Amino acid sequence: MNGFTRLLLGYLVVMSVMSPVTFVVYAWDKWRATRDGWRVSEKTLHLLEFLGGWPGAWAAQRWVRHKSRKKSYRRVFWLIVAVHITGVAAAAWWFVGR
């Protein structure tokens, strides 16, 4: 197994753990929002996205309809997604394309 394959596999494992966690946190925050309860900070949600949970966040934005309308939040979310995609592309170039 080459370096890129190991790196990609590790990335996919992290995403497969963080995405469901992030989805559940989004859903819980949405539930709390409907009851005027304690909320999860946007910084925490963005941190979860950055740590590999962005696919779960994207799914929650669609299915739970949470954080799907606030433009400033969505801008940061898509920036995080772009960072992840750029990182994978850079790793592919580094290990495979040079």
Side-chain angles (χ1 to χ4, degrees), residues 22-42 45 64 66-67 73:
T22 304
F23 185 94
V24 168
V25 172
Y26 260 74
W28 186 77
D29 188 49
K30 175 69 173 193
W31 181 77
R32 295 297 290 174
T34 62
R35 286 158 178 75
D36 291 327
W38 176 85
R39 303 282 308 279
V40 178
S41 74
E42 289 187 356
L45 293 174
V64 182
H66 192 45
K67 299 294 184 184
Y73 187 88

Side-chain angles (χ1 to χ4, degrees), residues 82-94:
V83 166
H84 277 266
I85 291 170
T86 302
V88 170
W93 175 83
W94 180 262

